Amino acid sequence: MSKAMKVLRNFVLMQYFIAIRWSHKYVVLDCPTEMAKEIVVSHVRDVALGKRTYHYLLSGLVSAAP
């Protein structure tokens, strides 16, 4: 791939991500509780990600005690 094509590709991708920045994003985390916690906390700490538009569904959260 030529350098010009890489620049064009990156430009198009950036325009796409700008367009969807404020759209709602739904994330399903089907993993152990500690891993889900680590993923969500790392997302909150990452300044580059917009935090208002992410919605998480955590499957597999089960209480061990009745």
Side-chain angles (χ1 to χ4, degrees):
M1 183 183 297
S2 71
K3 184 171 179 158
M5 285 303 293
K6 287 180 184 179
V7 169
L8 179 61
R9 180 177 166 267
N10 288 340
F11 176 76
V12 170
L13 285 175
M14 286 305 298
Q15 294 303 311
Y16 171 73
F17 287 120
I18 289 170
I20 67 165
R21 179 179 178 146
W22 297 106
S23 65
H24 291 284
K25 295 154 197 83
Y26 300 95
V27 179
V28 177
L29 295 176
D30 186 16
C31 57
T33 305
E34 283 302 313
M35 183 183 290
K37 178 182 173 184
E38 184 179 318
I39 291 169
V40 172
V41 169
S42 67
H43 178 207
V44 169
R45 290 181 177 160
D46 190 346
V47 181
L49 296 174
K51 291 154 186 68
R52 289 173 278 220
T53 59
Y54 284 84
H55 304 276
Y56 289 96
L57 174 63
L58 306 174
S59 68
L61 295 178
V62 182
S63 175

